[in-house]
Amino acid sequence: MRVVNWKKILLIIALALVVVYPFLDKNDYRLYLANRALIHSILASGLVFLTGFAGQISLGQAGFYAIGAYTSAYITTRLGMPIILGIVCGILLSLGAGLILSIPSFKLKAFFLSLVTIAFGQIVYVLILNLQSITGGPYGFFGIPPMKVGQYYFDNKGYYYTFLIILVLVILIIYRIKNSYLGRSMFAINDDVIAAEVCGINSKQSKIFAFALSASLAGLAGSLYAHLAGFLSPEPFTFFESSNFVAMAVVGGLRNILGGTIGGVILTFLPEFLRFRGWENYYLIVTSLTVVLVVVFMPNGLGNIIFKLFRGKTHSHAIHKEITTLRKEKEGGTK
Amino acid sequence: MILQAKNLTKVFGGVIANKEINLNVEEGTVTALIGPNGSGKTTFINQVSGVLKPTSGQILFKDKDITSLEAHDISRIGIARTFQKIRLFEKLTVIENVLVARRKFFKCGFLDIVFHTKRLKNEEKEQLDIALNLLQRLGLADEAWKMPGELPYGKRRALEIARALALEPKLLLLDEPAAGMTRNEFASIIDIIQKLKEQGITMLLVEHTMAFIRETSDKVYVLNFGEVIAEGTFEEMEHDPAVVAAYLGEESV
Amino acid sequence: METKDILQNLVSGIAIGSTYGLIGLGVVFLWQSIERINFANISSAMLSAYLFYTFYSEIGMGFFISFVLSVGIVALYGLGLRYLIHEPITKRGGGRLEFVVATLMICVLWLNVIIVFYGGLPKPFPPVFGKATDFVRFAGVSLPVVYFYIFLVVAILMAFLHFLLRKTLVGKSLRATAQNKEVAQLMGVNVNLTTSLAFMLSTTVVGIAGILLAPIYFVSLELGGGSIGIKGFSAAVMAGLIDPYGAVVGGILLGIIENFSTLFISSTYRDVISFLILVAVLIFKPKGIFVWSLHRD
């Protein structure tokens, strides 16, 4: 007799819903929010990698986000270059900034590094306000071209599928890194730096790598945002946005490959949801209170709870799929 | 000489932990470093493995100056070590603990990982086989998929040695390998060391247990207050008045 | 540039810098005790300023009672942070990272609370430290009266803290715990008590700094923002995070540098200067610049 696997069916239904969502929801604002959520998920996935996997912390992620956004905006709007080039430059410039910022991480412990990253985020913010000839300062940056394919200018649906594909690719790459020797080295460093060094692992290199990756993802997210919004002002690039990004990663679950996505979606929709349910005065308070409670009482984030429902039990985060399949082959062979 | 320390000195904020230590380790032998607590044995091991930088002096490995190399470079050129207080990666499985040390044998790059190439899969498989063999040699084959925290103390020690061996070292530094062992575990560690010696791995070990040193070591250096006070075979050391005084001095405290 | 300008900038730099020093002091007290950086303490300055505004301007209580009440509530806030945030996280085996994120989120929470109950616009601070137009003039230099109040309050506070740390049993316990927790415990120091005290002291000094800064920054969200926090961290880092006197000196130095950089470069980049100082100290002198009192190798 075949046993119906409800969990699998639920999972397939959930995935199908994600795919057809733009056709189910006619509310354009919610679709726009979904796009923002996807962008946040890309950025927060980078933070999950940086913090959860590599044990580093960044409270200046909005700085990279801003560099990506303004670079792409400038290159496409002022220099008239194609959008794809703008996005690539946005990523590269954030990557460069990430490399520079990773230098202090050699000498500094994680929590000192968090101070340096706050300073970085603030410096970028001050520069946005004051380099008016490039950024438009507090008046904003207008007229950023939308993405298009041929003659089709993207609407929210077009953005939705583009961002969804990018997010899936990002998660896939992070997943592969996690399951490779690179990920293993990173977990080892996170556990015990000295023991890892003695095993031939260059901890500096790993830290630079993690920083560079998370900075590039923030840059990517920023440049996508610039074209989605069509207009940039300094507000989304403050210290509090940086904190918000960290909150997404933590609420989703730092040890979880989907943590960034779960956190990104929840913390993009929760405040808006509360706002339209008669909480318009208190939605921000409720949101940040929720985050505090999750951090204090659910150390592994909401992601792990969802995973537990599906798996029944949690595995060690580091048991690699590759190795487990090989193990099964081997055990099967000896029987 | 596979390892030479020349006038190696380490000062911690006014306290001299190692004072002009001259020490040689001959290839294929087991050399022991003994001395009372706080005599600077672990400090010496830490400097050779690159965990600490010497204040002055030189360390030569196969006649090459490695004094200024970092820990990961030193382990890559063939010096592995274990720790007095066992340091495993507690959040990784037993097999992964060993695989971490196989890092230097991977030739695949970042793009191989991103595209998950055949080359990478083959390499992972190859390294996994090597790691499994190593665990088998140290009697850990059945525990490969457990977490280190589930292992008894003696097996944790064996795992740490397996991890060090995964680097395929020319020189193995063992910091009190028999500390805290039961009688059975003790015998198995001696067995492991003798097997490694037969395989031609040079070892430098720090130990307190005299029985252990008698069984394993070809040459003994005695440290007291950070200085080498005597060197020779175990039998010579046993009767050296300076050595006896150093140990008696400690006991009378 | 005339001597007059130099003097003027020097005095205002010292005045504002000493309040940065107080914020740095908040960082130092907690670091000594539990080796954590408490981002929620950034809010203490903002909270005390808004509390004072409420008690004094809205309810109409006297200056002294308003001051004591707001600072007292902020001290209790410190205790609350220990028992509602630090202890639960530690009990669950959470480390620095969790503490950083949780306290950071509390910082955001308070900003949202203030926005909801007071609105986002700055409130005028009551002229308890003299009106904006009150100046003290001598030798051709005119200085706002508020600076002298700042000097007065900081001086009294420092004298009190000096007395507390050096002369009382409580202070000695605090210093012993800071140097070595295990040894202190063996010597019979009540570490539980000193930890609570450290939490309360750290929010209290930042709370006082908030009331002193309010005439300059207004009663505004800026008092609870990252830029004030960073200035406190810079001052504390210059003191190697362990020297209370060093934190105040570091804060004053920061204030002076900021003021002169405004004069020579541009006021818009004033904040950038303190960030750069923070980064430079962390990278080049991670053990601090002004470290005298405690540890010595």
Side-chain angles (χ1 to χ4, degrees):
Chain A
M1 200 174 73
R2 255 183 81 93
V3 181
V4 182
N5 189 341
W6 284 109
K7 283 174 182 171
K8 209 168 217 169
I9 291 171
L10 264 175
L11 197 69
I12 290 168
I13 292 174
L15 284 178
L17 276 178
V18 169
V19 173
V20 298
Y21 172 72
F23 291 97
L24 298 178
D25 197 344
K26 295 284 171 249
N27 182 330
D28 208 43
Y29 180 66
R30 258 203 302 276
L31 199 52
Y32 172 76
L33 273 184
N35 289 333
R36 292 286 302 272
L38 289 171
I39 290 175
H40 291 156
S41 302
I42 292 170
L43 192 148
S45 296
L47 270 179
V48 165
F49 183 79
L50 179 74
T51 309
F53 298 179
Q56 305 272 302
I57 196 168
S58 168
L59 301 176
Q61 219 60 7
F64 300 117
Y65 189 56
I67 290 174
Y70 280 98
T71 305
S72 192
Y74 190 83
I75 283 177
T76 52
T77 315
R78 301 281 157 80
L79 304 181
M81 302 282 191
I83 288 176
I84 185 76
L85 194 71
I87 293 176
V88 169
C89 289
I91 295 173
L92 288 179
L93 227 65
S94 310
L95 173 73
L99 287 176
I100 293 170
L101 201 61
S102 69
I103 295 171
S105 73
F106 303 158
K107 283 180 91 170
L108 302 180
K109 290 182 188 142
F111 50 103
F112 283 129
L113 188 68
S114 64
L115 297 186
V116 174
T117 54
I118 294 177
F120 165 74
Q122 291 283 10
I123 288 171
V124 172
Y125 182 68
V126 171
L127 290 178
I128 293 174
L129 284 180
N130 292 300
L131 295 176
Q132 285 197 12
S133 57
I134 300 172
T135 63
Y139 307 109
F141 192 118
F142 290 91
I144 304 164
M147 295 184 183
K148 63 169 182 173
V149 174
Q151 285 309 306
Y152 166 65
Y153 282 90
F154 281 15
D155 55 6
N156 276 329
K157 258 182 212 151
Y159 282 116
Y160 181 85
Y161 287 110
T162 316
F163 294 172
L164 188 64
I165 290 168
I166 294 175
L167 176 63
V168 169
L169 287 177
V170 164
I171 291 173
L172 183 70
I173 290 173
I174 291 179
Y175 179 76
R176 283 178 172 172
I177 294 171
K178 181 193 170 201
N179 284 348
S180 73
Y181 63 85
L182 275 182
R184 215 153 41 221
S185 312
M186 234 158 246
F187 285 123
I189 293 170
N190 211 348
D191 245 6
D192 187 333
V193 188
I194 289 177
E197 278 271 333
V198 165
C199 287
I201 287 160
N202 188 338
S203 56
K204 280 183 190 175
Q205 226 173 42
S206 285
K207 284 177 185 174
I208 297 178
F209 174 73
F211 238 102
L213 185 75
S214 77
S216 326
L217 289 178
L220 169 65
S223 50
L224 296 179
Y225 171 70
H227 298 286
L228 172 72
F231 157 77
L232 293 177
S233 65
E235 287 86 50
F237 307 110
T238 57
F239 170 61
F240 293 102
E241 274 308 300
S242 290
S243 315
N244 231 340
F245 293 143
V246 175
M248 288 173 190
V250 176
V251 166
L254 286 174
R255 300 273 175 186
N256 198 313
I257 189 93
L258 291 179
T261 310
I262 293 166
V265 171
I266 290 176
L267 286 191
T268 310
F269 277 101
L270 179 68
E272 296 296 322
F273 176 79
L274 290 171
R275 197 150 70 123
F276 291 115
R277 284 288 180 283
W279 289 78
E280 43 280 278
N281 286 325
Y282 305 106
Y283 74 99
L284 285 174
I285 298 181
V286 176
T287 309
S288 35
L289 194 62
T290 312
V291 175
V292 172
L293 291 177
V294 170
V295 174
V296 175
F297 297 105
M298 281 181 258
N300 294 320
L302 296 171
N304 260 39
I305 294 172
I306 296 172
F307 266 57
K308 258 185 201 164
L309 288 179
F310 274 92
R311 275 217 199 113
K313 59 172 184 174
T314 44
H315 289 271
S316 138
H317 61 251
I319 293 182
H320 303 157
K321 184 179 152 271
E322 194 73 15
I323 292 179
T324 10
T325 45
L326 285 172
R327 171 195 178 184
K328 277 179 194 146
E329 277 172 29
K330 271 189 200 306
E331 282 174 350
T334 53
K335 267 171 199 167
Chain B
M1 288 300 150
I2 191 161
L3 181 79
Q4 287 172 283
K6 290 183 173 168
N7 296 320
L8 201 65
T9 302
K10 179 71 193 177
V11 182
F12 290 111
V15 179
I16 303 175
N18 277 181
K19 192 177 175 191
E20 295 181 2
I21 292 187
N22 285 294
L23 184 149
N24 297 318
V25 177
E26 207 155 335
E27 193 149 7
T29 63
V30 176
T31 305
L33 204 53
I34 64 171
N37 278 329
S39 57
K41 303 175 302 273
T42 298
T43 306
F44 182 79
I45 297 278
N46 279 341
Q47 292 177 82
V48 175
S49 58
V51 173
L52 287 176
K53 289 277 156 277
T55 309
S56 67
Q58 241 188 344
I59 305 165
L60 302 181
F61 177 63
K62 294 201 233 163
D63 300 322
K64 254 183 31 209
D65 189 349
I66 61 162
T67 322
S68 58
L69 290 189
E70 295 199 51
H72 58 262
D73 289 323
I74 290 177
S75 60
R76 274 164 186 246
I77 60 172
I79 301 179
R81 71 167 287 180
T82 63
F83 294 89
Q84 184 180 346
K85 198 168 164 268
I86 300 174
R87 299 177 87 147
L88 297 169
F89 304 119
E90 304 292 345
K91 287 179 192 147
L92 297 176
T93 56
V94 167
I95 185 89
E96 283 167 337
N97 263 274
V98 177
L99 277 170
V100 166
R102 296 299 297 179
R103 166 77 164 90
K104 67 171 181 176
F105 299 100
F106 278 90
K107 288 176 199 73
C108 284
F110 181 60
L111 288 180
D112 284 299
I113 292 171
V114 170
F115 294 107
H116 204 60
T117 56
K118 188 109 192 123
R119 202 175 127 199
L120 179 77
K121 281 185 223 167
N122 288 338
E123 234 177 32
E124 284 276 0
K125 230 176 246 183
E126 215 174 283
Q127 296 304 333
L128 187 73
D129 269 336
I130 294 172
L132 276 173
N133 279 336
L134 203 54
L135 287 179
Q136 204 141 30
R137 265 164 62 196
L138 287 163
L140 289 162
D142 294 335
E143 280 88 1
W145 314 102
K146 289 185 180 163
M147 301 307 280
E150 301 169 37
L151 304 185
Y153 187 81
K155 293 214 163 180
R156 284 169 66 80
R157 186 60 84 182
L159 174 57
E160 209 192 17
I161 294 175
R163 190 179 68 186
L165 290 176
L167 287 162
E168 297 180 7
K170 298 284 175 300
L171 173 65
L172 181 58
L173 311 171
L174 299 165
D175 197 349
E176 300 202 19
M181 297 242 149
T182 64
R183 200 165 282 276
N184 284 339
E185 289 169 344
F186 190 81
S188 77
I189 286 282
I190 290 185
D191 190 48
I192 288 172
I193 288 176
Q194 270 156 356
K195 269 189 193 147
L196 292 177
K197 195 178 165 188
E198 280 161 29
Q199 287 159 20
I201 295 174
T202 314
M203 277 169 276
L204 172 63
L205 52 90
V206 166
E207 203 27 87
H208 273 304
T209 330
M210 289 304 146
F212 191 93
I213 293 164
R214 187 187 302 122
E215 289 293 322
T216 53
S217 310
D218 301 302
K219 192 172 180 189
V220 179
Y221 282 83
V222 186
L223 250 62
N224 197 19
F225 295 114
E227 282 184 273
V228 175
I229 55 166
E231 56 176 282
T233 63
F234 181 78
E235 286 71 25
E236 286 165 10
M237 289 306 98
E238 225 174 1
H239 303 108
D240 189 303
V243 177
V244 175
Y247 273 88
L248 283 180
E250 191 204 20
E251 270 162 34
S252 63
V253 169
Chain C
M1 192 168 67
E2 292 174 48
T3 349
K4 194 178 78 178
D5 295 330
I6 294 178
L7 198 65
Q8 195 149 359
N9 275 292
L10 202 62
V11 174
S12 74
I14 294 172
I16 294 179
S18 61
T19 61
Y20 297 162
L22 291 186
I23 299 171
L25 213 51
V27 179
V28 168
F29 281 138
L30 204 68
W31 183 263
Q32 283 186 339
S33 163
I34 59 164
E35 293 216 342
R36 293 281 189 280
I37 284 174
N38 180 358
F39 286 95
N41 201 6
I42 298 176
S43 319
S44 302
M46 178 181 73
L47 290 177
S48 70
Y50 274 92
L51 283 169
F52 185 87
Y53 170 81
T54 311
F55 292 136
Y56 188 87
S57 301
E58 291 194 339
I59 301 178
M61 295 189 199
F63 167 78
F64 189 72
I65 187 103
S66 305
F67 188 87
V68 171
L69 263 181
S70 3
V71 173
I73 291 175
V74 170
L76 288 178
Y77 167 58
L79 204 59
L81 286 177
R82 181 184 174 197
Y83 285 105
L84 297 177
I85 305 297
H86 179 246
E87 294 296 331
I89 288 180
T90 317
K91 220 169 270 170
R92 263 196 9 245
R96 284 210 165 94
L97 181 74
E98 283 82 2
F99 191 68
V100 165
V101 175
T103 53
L104 199 64
M105 288 307 127
I106 289 171
C107 193
V108 178
L109 172 69
W110 282 124
L111 280 169
N112 289 329
V113 170
I114 295 290
I115 290 172
V116 167
F117 290 105
Y118 293 88
L121 293 176
K123 306 272 181 203
F125 191 75
V128 285
F129 301 128
K131 286 196 281 291
T133 47
D134 287 348
F135 285 95
V136 174
R137 282 169 230 277
F138 66 92
V141 187
S142 52
L143 295 160
V145 175
V146 60
Y147 291 161
F148 295 94
Y149 280 101
I150 291 179
F151 287 138
L152 188 70
V153 175
V154 173
I156 294 171
L157 186 65
M158 285 311 289
F160 170 72
L161 286 175
H162 182 81
F163 173 76
L164 184 81
L165 289 177
R166 296 275 151 182
K167 308 283 180 213
T168 66
L169 189 63
V170 177
K172 282 174 188 158
S173 318
L174 255 180
R175 286 194 297 141
T177 320
Q179 287 191 17
N180 191 324
K181 205 169 260 177
E182 280 80 39
V183 173
Q185 211 146 17
L186 286 176
M187 282 172 9
V189 171
N190 186 342
V191 174
N192 183 36
L193 188 74
T194 55
T195 308
S196 287
L197 197 66
F199 267 91
M200 290 171 73
L201 267 180
S202 67
T203 51
T204 306
V205 287
V206 178
I208 292 174
I211 295 177
L212 293 177
L213 278 170
I216 300 158
Y217 280 81
F218 294 105
V219 181
S220 66
L221 296 170
E222 216 180 322
L223 286 173
S227 112
I228 287 274
I230 285 289
K231 282 164 193 171
F233 292 138
S234 307
V237 161
M238 281 193 236
L241 293 174
I242 50 167
D243 193 316
Y245 305 97
V248 176
V249 175
I252 289 174
L253 181 69
L254 185 66
I256 294 172
I257 293 174
E258 249 186 31
N259 251 20
F260 280 94
S261 67
T262 311
L263 204 62
F264 290 116
I265 310 167
S266 145
S267 65
T268 44
Y269 292 104
R270 196 181 64 184
D271 283 351
V272 176
I273 303 287
S274 51
F275 304 144
L276 289 179
I277 290 174
L278 171 71
V279 175
V281 172
L282 280 175
I283 293 174
F284 299 110
K285 291 284 272 178
K287 291 206 169 139
I289 302 168
F290 307 115
V291 189
W292 307 289
S293 60
L294 292 164
H295 307 257
R296 259 174 216 292
D297 287 345

